[in-house]
mmCIF file of all heavy atoms in Angstrom:
data_model
loop_
_atom_site.group_PDB
_atom_site.id
_atom_site.type_symbol
_atom_site.label_atom_id
_atom_site.label_comp_id
_atom_site.label_asym_id
_atom_site.label_seq_id
_atom_site.Cartn_x
_atom_site.Cartn_y
_atom_site.Cartn_z
ATOM 1 N N GLY A 29 12.381 -23.675 -15.944
ATOM 2 C CA GLY A 29 13.513 -23.301 -16.787
ATOM 3 C C GLY A 29 14.155 -24.579 -17.290
ATOM 4 O O GLY A 29 13.511 -25.444 -17.817
ATOM 5 N N ASN A 30 15.467 -24.722 -17.049
ATOM 6 C CA ASN A 30 16.142 -25.963 -17.506
ATOM 7 C C ASN A 30 16.417 -26.900 -16.320
ATOM 8 O O ASN A 30 17.154 -27.882 -16.474
ATOM 9 C CB ASN A 30 17.440 -25.617 -18.250
ATOM 10 C CG ASN A 30 18.418 -24.849 -17.389
ATOM 11 O OD1 ASN A 30 18.099 -24.480 -16.259
ATOM 12 N ND2 ASN A 30 19.614 -24.591 -17.934
ATOM 13 N N LYS A 31 15.898 -26.578 -15.152
ATOM 14 C CA LYS A 31 16.122 -27.426 -13.962
ATOM 15 C C LYS A 31 14.890 -28.231 -13.642
ATOM 16 O O LYS A 31 13.753 -27.719 -13.614
ATOM 17 C CB LYS A 31 16.515 -26.576 -12.754
ATOM 18 C CG LYS A 31 17.858 -25.922 -12.891
ATOM 19 C CD LYS A 31 18.247 -25.237 -11.585
ATOM 20 C CE LYS A 31 19.644 -24.658 -11.716
ATOM 21 N NZ LYS A 31 20.082 -24.063 -10.469
ATOM 22 N N THR A 32 15.072 -29.500 -13.316
ATOM 23 C CA THR A 32 14.000 -30.359 -12.854
ATOM 24 C C THR A 32 13.588 -29.946 -11.460
ATOM 25 O O THR A 32 14.434 -29.852 -10.566
ATOM 26 C CB THR A 32 14.367 -31.848 -12.878
ATOM 27 O OG1 THR A 32 14.735 -32.191 -14.215
ATOM 28 C CG2 THR A 32 13.261 -32.734 -12.377
ATOM 29 N N CYS A 33 12.326 -29.690 -11.249
ATOM 30 C CA CYS A 33 11.829 -29.227 -9.943
ATOM 31 C C CYS A 33 10.878 -30.219 -9.295
ATOM 32 O O CYS A 33 10.555 -30.072 -8.127
ATOM 33 C CB CYS A 33 11.190 -27.856 -10.040
ATOM 34 S SG CYS A 33 9.748 -27.812 -11.161
ATOM 35 N N PHE A 34 10.397 -31.238 -10.054
ATOM 36 C CA PHE A 34 9.497 -32.197 -9.483
ATOM 37 C C PHE A 34 9.689 -33.520 -10.154
ATOM 38 O O PHE A 34 9.781 -33.595 -11.399
ATOM 39 C CB PHE A 34 8.029 -31.719 -9.755
ATOM 40 C CG PHE A 34 6.997 -32.646 -9.225
ATOM 41 C CD1 PHE A 34 6.488 -32.496 -7.957
ATOM 42 C CD2 PHE A 34 6.526 -33.705 -9.984
ATOM 43 C CE1 PHE A 34 5.519 -33.340 -7.445
ATOM 44 C CE2 PHE A 34 5.560 -34.592 -9.482
ATOM 45 C CZ PHE A 34 5.062 -34.390 -8.213
ATOM 46 N N LEU A 35 9.816 -34.621 -9.389
ATOM 47 C CA LEU A 35 9.925 -35.965 -9.904
ATOM 48 C C LEU A 35 8.915 -36.852 -9.241
ATOM 49 O O LEU A 35 8.759 -36.792 -8.024
ATOM 50 C CB LEU A 35 11.341 -36.488 -9.607
ATOM 51 C CG LEU A 35 12.513 -35.813 -10.298
ATOM 52 C CD1 LEU A 35 13.838 -36.268 -9.710
ATOM 53 C CD2 LEU A 35 12.502 -36.116 -11.784
ATOM 54 N N ALA A 36 8.257 -37.690 -10.011
ATOM 55 C CA ALA A 36 7.294 -38.643 -9.443
ATOM 56 C C ALA A 36 7.328 -39.928 -10.298
ATOM 57 O O ALA A 36 7.362 -39.882 -11.492
ATOM 58 C CB ALA A 36 5.892 -38.065 -9.432
ATOM 59 N N THR A 37 7.349 -41.032 -9.578
ATOM 60 C CA THR A 37 7.139 -42.363 -10.169
ATOM 61 C C THR A 37 5.960 -42.928 -9.407
ATOM 62 O O THR A 37 6.027 -43.129 -8.209
ATOM 63 C CB THR A 37 8.377 -43.259 -10.009
ATOM 64 O OG1 THR A 37 9.464 -42.606 -10.646
ATOM 65 C CG2 THR A 37 8.145 -44.614 -10.635
ATOM 66 N N VAL A 38 4.850 -43.167 -10.104
ATOM 67 C CA VAL A 38 3.637 -43.580 -9.387
ATOM 68 C C VAL A 38 2.709 -44.349 -10.313
ATOM 69 O O VAL A 38 2.623 -44.070 -11.502
ATOM 70 C CB VAL A 38 2.891 -42.364 -8.774
ATOM 71 C CG1 VAL A 38 2.476 -41.392 -9.849
ATOM 72 C CG2 VAL A 38 1.740 -42.747 -7.922
ATOM 73 N N GLY A 39 2.055 -45.363 -9.789
ATOM 74 C CA GLY A 39 0.900 -45.997 -10.406
ATOM 75 C C GLY A 39 -0.306 -45.433 -9.720
ATOM 76 O O GLY A 39 -0.325 -45.336 -8.492
ATOM 77 N N LEU A 40 -1.322 -45.040 -10.462
ATOM 78 C CA LEU A 40 -2.448 -44.340 -9.828
ATOM 79 C C LEU A 40 -3.759 -44.948 -10.283
ATOM 80 O O LEU A 40 -3.989 -45.149 -11.484
ATOM 81 C CB LEU A 40 -2.414 -42.875 -10.221
ATOM 82 C CG LEU A 40 -3.526 -41.983 -9.685
ATOM 83 C CD1 LEU A 40 -3.533 -41.942 -8.184
ATOM 84 C CD2 LEU A 40 -3.354 -40.563 -10.246
ATOM 85 N N GLN A 41 -4.594 -45.263 -9.322
ATOM 86 C CA GLN A 41 -5.918 -45.817 -9.588
ATOM 87 C C GLN A 41 -6.940 -44.954 -8.868
ATOM 88 O O GLN A 41 -6.769 -44.619 -7.670
ATOM 89 C CB GLN A 41 -6.001 -47.236 -9.095
ATOM 90 C CG GLN A 41 -7.303 -47.949 -9.382
ATOM 91 C CD GLN A 41 -7.244 -49.388 -8.943
ATOM 92 O OE1 GLN A 41 -7.471 -49.655 -7.755
ATOM 93 N NE2 GLN A 41 -6.954 -50.307 -9.837
ATOM 94 N N LEU A 42 -8.028 -44.583 -9.541
ATOM 95 C CA LEU A 42 -9.133 -43.826 -8.896
ATOM 96 C C LEU A 42 -10.324 -44.738 -8.798
ATOM 97 O O LEU A 42 -10.687 -45.452 -9.732
ATOM 98 C CB LEU A 42 -9.482 -42.613 -9.765
ATOM 99 C CG LEU A 42 -8.352 -41.613 -10.009
ATOM 100 C CD1 LEU A 42 -8.840 -40.532 -10.979
ATOM 101 C CD2 LEU A 42 -7.874 -41.025 -8.731
ATOM 102 N N ASN A 43 -10.955 -44.736 -7.647
ATOM 103 C CA ASN A 43 -12.185 -45.455 -7.414
ATOM 104 C C ASN A 43 -13.241 -44.432 -7.063
ATOM 105 O O ASN A 43 -13.257 -43.871 -5.978
ATOM 106 C CB ASN A 43 -11.969 -46.437 -6.258
ATOM 107 C CG ASN A 43 -13.161 -47.330 -6.021
ATOM 108 O OD1 ASN A 43 -14.273 -46.991 -6.402
ATOM 109 N ND2 ASN A 43 -12.931 -48.453 -5.382
ATOM 110 N N VAL A 44 -14.132 -44.157 -8.029
ATOM 111 C CA VAL A 44 -15.165 -43.145 -7.854
ATOM 112 C C VAL A 44 -16.480 -43.833 -7.583
ATOM 113 O O VAL A 44 -16.933 -44.651 -8.351
ATOM 114 C CB VAL A 44 -15.276 -42.238 -9.138
ATOM 115 C CG1 VAL A 44 -16.311 -41.168 -8.936
ATOM 116 C CG2 VAL A 44 -13.927 -41.686 -9.520
ATOM 117 N N SER A 45 -17.105 -43.490 -6.498
ATOM 118 C CA SER A 45 -18.420 -44.077 -6.113
ATOM 119 C C SER A 45 -19.448 -42.983 -6.110
ATOM 120 O O SER A 45 -19.754 -42.438 -5.063
ATOM 121 C CB SER A 45 -18.323 -44.747 -4.741
ATOM 122 O OG SER A 45 -17.337 -45.756 -4.744
ATOM 123 N N GLN A 46 -19.929 -42.640 -7.269
ATOM 124 C CA GLN A 46 -20.939 -41.581 -7.368
ATOM 125 C C GLN A 46 -22.255 -42.233 -7.707
ATOM 126 O O GLN A 46 -22.874 -42.830 -6.833
ATOM 127 C CB GLN A 46 -20.539 -40.527 -8.371
ATOM 128 C CG GLN A 46 -21.219 -39.238 -8.206
ATOM 129 C CD GLN A 46 -20.552 -38.108 -8.940
ATOM 130 O OE1 GLN A 46 -19.736 -38.347 -9.834
ATOM 131 N NE2 GLN A 46 -20.890 -36.878 -8.634
ATOM 132 N N ASP A 47 -22.722 -42.149 -8.947
ATOM 133 C CA ASP A 47 -23.963 -42.842 -9.306
ATOM 134 C C ASP A 47 -23.766 -44.353 -9.309
ATOM 135 O O ASP A 47 -24.595 -45.097 -8.816
ATOM 136 C CB ASP A 47 -24.444 -42.378 -10.710
ATOM 137 C CG ASP A 47 -24.751 -40.883 -10.701
ATOM 138 O OD1 ASP A 47 -25.179 -40.379 -9.657
ATOM 139 O OD2 ASP A 47 -24.574 -40.244 -11.752
ATOM 140 N N LYS A 48 -22.685 -44.803 -9.926
ATOM 141 C CA LYS A 48 -22.321 -46.209 -9.881
ATOM 142 C C LYS A 48 -20.804 -46.268 -9.716
ATOM 143 O O LYS A 48 -20.087 -45.350 -10.171
ATOM 144 C CB LYS A 48 -22.787 -46.942 -11.150
ATOM 145 C CG LYS A 48 -22.169 -46.432 -12.414
ATOM 146 C CD LYS A 48 -22.639 -47.218 -13.626
ATOM 147 C CE LYS A 48 -21.908 -46.704 -14.872
ATOM 148 N NZ LYS A 48 -22.184 -47.519 -16.034
ATOM 149 N N PRO A 49 -20.291 -47.309 -9.081
ATOM 150 C CA PRO A 49 -18.843 -47.397 -8.871
ATOM 151 C C PRO A 49 -18.068 -47.394 -10.201
ATOM 152 O O PRO A 49 -18.493 -48.033 -11.143
ATOM 153 C CB PRO A 49 -18.651 -48.701 -8.124
ATOM 154 C CG PRO A 49 -19.982 -48.982 -7.528
ATOM 155 C CD PRO A 49 -20.985 -48.404 -8.467
ATOM 156 N N LEU A 50 -16.979 -46.654 -10.229
ATOM 157 C CA LEU A 50 -16.157 -46.535 -11.402
ATOM 158 C C LEU A 50 -14.701 -46.683 -11.014
ATOM 159 O O LEU A 50 -14.231 -45.945 -10.148
ATOM 160 C CB LEU A 50 -16.395 -45.202 -12.131
ATOM 161 C CG LEU A 50 -15.539 -44.900 -13.354
ATOM 162 C CD1 LEU A 50 -15.827 -45.903 -14.462
ATOM 163 C CD2 LEU A 50 -15.830 -43.499 -13.818
ATOM 164 N N LEU A 51 -14.007 -47.595 -11.608
ATOM 165 C CA LEU A 51 -12.580 -47.848 -11.293
ATOM 166 C C LEU A 51 -11.754 -47.393 -12.509
ATOM 167 O O LEU A 51 -12.000 -47.854 -13.604
ATOM 168 C CB LEU A 51 -12.344 -49.330 -11.020
ATOM 169 C CG LEU A 51 -11.035 -49.748 -10.452
ATOM 170 C CD1 LEU A 51 -10.886 -49.227 -9.024
ATOM 171 C CD2 LEU A 51 -10.935 -51.259 -10.451
ATOM 172 N N ILE A 52 -10.815 -46.483 -12.259
ATOM 173 C CA ILE A 52 -10.000 -45.925 -13.379
ATOM 174 C C ILE A 52 -8.530 -46.136 -13.020
ATOM 175 O O ILE A 52 -8.023 -45.615 -12.010
ATOM 176 C CB ILE A 52 -10.288 -44.445 -13.578
ATOM 177 C CG1 ILE A 52 -11.763 -44.192 -13.797
ATOM 178 C CG2 ILE A 52 -9.395 -43.867 -14.722
ATOM 179 C CD1 ILE A 52 -12.144 -42.720 -13.707
ATOM 180 N N ASN A 53 -7.798 -46.854 -13.864
ATOM 181 C CA ASN A 53 -6.357 -46.909 -13.752
ATOM 182 C C ASN A 53 -5.789 -45.870 -14.701
ATOM 183 O O ASN A 53 -6.118 -45.834 -15.884
ATOM 184 C CB ASN A 53 -5.797 -48.281 -14.169
ATOM 185 C CG ASN A 53 -5.893 -49.295 -13.079
ATOM 186 O OD1 ASN A 53 -6.148 -48.976 -11.927
ATOM 187 N ND2 ASN A 53 -5.680 -50.553 -13.396
ATOM 188 N N ILE A 54 -4.978 -44.946 -14.171
ATOM 189 C CA ILE A 54 -4.350 -43.951 -15.018
ATOM 190 C C ILE A 54 -3.221 -44.636 -15.810
ATOM 191 O O ILE A 54 -2.341 -45.259 -15.235
ATOM 192 C CB ILE A 54 -3.763 -42.779 -14.162
ATOM 193 C CG1 ILE A 54 -4.865 -42.160 -13.311
ATOM 194 C CG2 ILE A 54 -3.061 -41.763 -15.051
ATOM 195 C CD1 ILE A 54 -5.978 -41.520 -14.079
ATOM 196 N N ASN A 55 -3.325 -44.562 -17.130
ATOM 197 C CA ASN A 55 -2.350 -45.215 -18.024
ATOM 198 C C ASN A 55 -1.187 -44.250 -18.329
ATOM 199 O O ASN A 55 -1.395 -43.272 -19.030
ATOM 200 C CB ASN A 55 -3.058 -45.645 -19.315
ATOM 201 C CG ASN A 55 -2.151 -46.371 -20.258
ATOM 202 O OD1 ASN A 55 -0.929 -46.429 -20.080
ATOM 203 N ND2 ASN A 55 -2.725 -46.925 -21.309
#
């Protein structure tokens, strides 16, 4: 509605090691 129900401040990086390692910084 008009009320904030979730707040997050975060830097997030994913390191996926499947076929080849992949590093993803969420922009």
Side-chain angles (χ1 to χ4, degrees):
N30 61 355
K31 292 188 177 183
T32 299
C33 60
F34 180 91
L35 295 168
T37 301
V38 60
L40 179 61
Q41 183 177 82
L42 302 175
N43 184 338
V44 182
S45 302
Q46 200 164 15
D47 297 330
K48 62 179 184 172
L50 176 64
L51 191 67
I52 304 167
N53 279 348
I54 302 297
N55 182 349

